[in-house]
Structures are given as structure tokens and as C-alpha cells.
Amino acid sequence: MVNLITNIQPTLDFIPPNFNPFVLKICQWGIPFWIKWKTPLVEIKGEKVERLVNLYQQFQSGKIRFLLAFRHPNTDDPFCMSQLLWRFVPETAKQQGIALSDPIHAHFMYDRGIPLWAGQFVTWLFPKLGGTSILRGKVDRLGLRSARDLFLTGQFPLAAAPEGATNGHNQSISPLEPGIAQLGFWCVEDLEKAERTEEVYLVPIGIQYFYIQDNWQDLERLISQLEKDCNLPQKTEELTTQSLYGRLMRLGNYLLDTMENFYRQFYHRSIPQDETLDFSERLKRLLDIALTVAEEYFNLKPTGDLNSRCRRLEQAGWDCIYRYNLKGNDNWSVVELGLADRVAIEASLRMWNMRLVESFVAVTGRYIRENPTFDRFAETTLIVWRMINQLKGNTSIKPPNLGKKRAKLTVGEPISVSQKWSDYQTNRRQAVANLTQDLQNALEQMIEY
């Protein structure tokens, strides 16, 4: 289900930002061609971009600092954000007769794990574009210090995805991580210490994708392929949303039955057959069991929501795998290296339980039923496809293309962190929670149904 790691790896050191304007110019030129070549996007539009123009004007005048908190439904989001900043903001500013200094760009935070699967080029590229890495499964002091410094003194605003990871859903937002709100308050605090007067904002950015056409035939063929993978009999009934929903539910129930039996037989879990549980309740129970299996191996307590448990498990696995100091400070014997390799293999194997959950944290079992559109059918079917291909061992295969898409980016009303500073001074934890909820509400209000 994952690419098995067979030996210990170099430590996951912090990757500091190293902005290079020449690299930025190359990307600004090349990204539009990459979008046409490598993504299904045929149209990207921005709404209320004038808000961002005003913010950049104030930022460049030294009046404000701000963080772009963008939605993260899928892996094409960075391309959309690039067009918002590099294209739409300058165009809108020109239309309004507002002179902005070039370039219009943003520093950004990215998960330290991304270079592990994206490769050496991304490891080199992200710092050159002003990105700063962060380990999300533990207190990454270097990563947090870098992000905090960029928010306070960076040449550009800061950008981050408060959901933390993609959830595959355009019309459902995962619970936001509190770190973005905390960074906002830290920036206010740092400005006060430096006796500076800038106001601090969080700017919600909605990102949403829509299929240009409802390609029901292609969707039905994909469902048929998934049924073959699961050895389920093929259906020949009339193609309707009701029939497709029934087939998806049959696939879902088959996978639930199979995975419950898997954990009963091979991990000795007591999972009672309960006819009263609906699909969403069974799924929630299965995901909890999968995480518990991994948590027991890594000796972790099952605290927090599914997302936070996944992140802690990922970090625990990385701590077992990425241990070798390339600078030569570690004096390993051959025996110690052999044992360390076995620990890395075991950790890599145990982490697949977490990867299973990671794909399904946003699945509720109600998403299609509440609004049976082609977009929701496609999103859910692709999540099922991803899980089945992980179980088959096809971890690097490209997802099937169900049609061309358009993307809409909406700049939300800026949220002043400075105005909430007194609340933070009174009760820090509650102030962070309230600001996080304000940001969640703002992102949800921008969703087009």
C-alpha cells in the first residue's frame, strides 16, 4: 500500500527559504504551459481580486502584514494560487490604476514530507520560490521560527493551507489546524516588541473546481473497473444517478466488510457485526481501528481528531526511518545499521494503516446523498479509486481523467488579527480557537453549491 522503505535514511533536516527572483521569473513564464500540459484545468478565474490588490498596496507601503489562508481540496491548488498572484492581481491593479511593485508573490509554508514523494527537483525549487518547510507531526522549532520570521519581516506576505492536507472534496472543508491563527497572534506580538504599527490580517482564499461537462459514461466505466478489482458482479441497469449511487455504496460496503475482516483476522481486533450501524458509523469505527493498530506499535496515545492522529503517526514513523546523519557524526557499527534498517522497514510497514485513514478522513457517507451532482460523484469515486490502487500496490499511477475542469478562486474578507489581540492576552487558547473558527466559517461561506 506504500512504497516500502528498506533501510534508514538521512535525517529530515529543516529546509530554509532561499528566494531567487530569477527562478521565480522562469516559473512565472513556464507555469501556464505546465497547467495546460499536466492538469485538467482549462479555465482559472479569480473573484474579488481587488481586495488582494488593496492588501498588497498596503503591504508594500508598510502598513500591514498578512497571511493568505487558502483552501486545499487537491494538488492543483498551488498552480491556481500562482495564477491568482502572478496574473490576476497585477492585471486587476493595472485596471484600477494602482501601481504595485514587481514581483507580486508570497512566501509559503509546505509540509516537509512533500519532497519525499515529489523528488529532488521540488526539494531544490521550493526554497528558491521562498518556501519554508514545516514538520506538522511535532513541534518543529526551526520551521516555526522561520515561518514566524517570514510573517514579520518577509519580502512578501506568507501563504499556507490551514487544512494541512488535501481532502478531495470541493464542497466540504476539513477542520482547520490552529497553527495559522497562532502565527497571526505571534506576528502581532512580534510587531509590538519591535515597536512597529502594522496591522495583521488573515486572508481566506476559497478554491473550488468544477467539471466542464458531466461525463457520466466515463464515471460509469471507472466504477465498472473498480467493481472488477473487487470481483463484484457487473450491473447492466440503466445509467442513472440512483443506480450509480447504489453501485458506489455496494463498493463501499464491500471494502468495509473486507477491511473489517482483515483487521479481525490479522490484527486480532474484536469488531462486532452490528446491523444498526450505518455506513458512516462503520467507516468511522474502521478508521479508528486502523489508527489504533499503528498507534499501539509506536506507543502513541489516541488523542485528537483523525487528522492530528495521522500527523503524529507519520512523524513517529519518520523518527524511525530518517535517522542517519550524513555529516558523519553518527558512528554506526554494521550490526547497529542492520538493526536500524529492520526498524525502518517495520515502521514503513506500520505506517500503511495511517495512509489508509489519510485518504478517508473527509468521507462522511452523506456527501453524494445530500447533493448528487456529477462533481460529488467524481470526487468520491476517485477517493475509492485511490484506496483500491493503494491496496493493489499502484501507489504512483496517475488518477484517471474524468474531464476538463475550471477553477474559481475567491478572495474573502480579510480578518484582522490585531483587533483580536486583547482577547489573546486574556485567554490565548480560546482566542486561537475563536480565530480558527472565524477562518473556517469564512472559507465555508465562499463555497458555491
Side-chain angles (χ1 to χ4, degrees), residues 163 165 174-175 177 291 304-312 358 361:
E163 289 170 279
S174 299
E177 297 180 354
L291 288 183
D305 60 17
L306 294 179
N307 271 314
S308 59
R309 291 169 70 185
C310 283
R311 297 286 68 78
R312 282 198 302 274
E358 203 173 37
V361 288

Side-chain angles (χ1 to χ4, degrees), residues 141-386:
R141 299 189 185 282
L142 282 176
L144 288 172
R145 189 181 306 141
S146 175
R148 186 170 178 172
D149 182 63
L150 287 174
F151 204 167
L152 178 69
T153 64
Q155 178 181 350
F156 310 109
L158 186 62
E163 289 170 279
T166 60
N167 71 358
H169 287 61
N170 274 292
Q171 297 179 344
S172 177
I173 300 179
S174 299
L176 305 188
E177 297 180 354
I180 299 303
Q182 182 62 72
L183 276 173
F185 284 120
W186 279 340
C187 188
V188 176
E189 181 180 357
D190 293 340
L191 286 168
E192 278 205 349
K193 289 179 180 178
E195 298 182 349
R196 290 165 53 183
T197 59
E198 295 103 308
E199 188 165 2
V200 178
Y201 291 94
L202 300 184
V203 186
I205 306 291
I207 302 180
Q208 201 166 352
Y209 301 89
F210 307 87
Y211 283 92
I212 301 296
Q213 294 182 333
D214 294 350
N215 301 307
W216 294 104
Q217 294 290 343
D218 290 343
L219 180 67
E220 193 276 334
R221 280 191 286 270
L222 178 56
I223 292 175
S224 294
Q225 180 58 55
L226 298 177
E227 289 170 337
K228 288 180 183 178
D229 289 337
C230 296
N231 203 24
L232 293 173
Q234 300 290 290
K235 296 265 187 175
T236 57
E237 57 195 338
E238 181 183 358
L239 177 56
T240 64
T241 56
Q242 185 175 1
S243 67
L244 286 178
Y245 180 70
R247 291 169 67 180
L248 266 181
M249 287 304 298
R250 185 175 66 145
L251 269 170
N253 283 311
Y254 165 82
L255 290 169
L256 277 177
D257 290 340
T258 303
M259 295 308 298
E260 284 176 350
N261 288 332
F262 172 79
Y263 280 103
R264 285 190 190 100
Q265 182 176 358
F266 296 105
Y267 288 94
H268 317 295
R269 302 291 143 168
S270 176
I271 308 176
Q273 300 278 4
D274 190 343
E275 301 289 337
T276 65
L277 293 180
D278 64 15
F279 179 87
S280 60
E281 291 171 324
R282 287 182 65 196
L283 177 61
K284 183 179 179 181
R285 181 179 67 179
L286 176 65
L287 298 183
D288 177 71
I289 289 169
L291 288 183
T292 301
V293 165
E295 285 165 340
E296 288 178 357
Y297 172 78
F298 290 111
N299 195 30
L300 297 175
K301 293 182 179 179
T303 56
D305 60 17
L306 294 179
N307 271 314
S308 59
R309 291 169 70 185
C310 283
R311 297 286 68 78
R312 282 198 302 274
L313 276 167
E314 182 177 61
Q315 188 60 51
W318 286 353
D319 288 343
C320 294
I321 297 168
Y322 299 96
R323 302 169 54 195
Y324 188 73
N325 189 334
L326 285 177
K327 296 178 181 178
N329 296 329
D330 292 331
N331 189 19
W332 299 77
S333 71
V334 176
V335 172
E336 289 172 322
L337 281 172
L339 289 172
D341 288 344
R342 291 187 177 276
V343 170
I345 293 170
E346 184 74 11
S348 180
L349 286 169
R350 295 288 178 164
M351 286 171 70
W352 82 264
N353 297 279
M354 179 271 294
R355 298 298 179 202
L356 168 71
V357 175
E358 203 173 37
S359 299
F360 279 81
V361 288
V363 175
T364 63
R366 305 183 304 273
Y367 190 60
I368 293 178
R369 190 170 68 245
E370 291 171 349
N371 189 12
T373 62
F374 175 80
D375 293 72
R376 290 197 179 200
F377 265 101
E379 291 166 21
T380 304
T381 304
L382 287 173
I383 289 173
V384 175
W385 173 89
R386 201 168 291 115

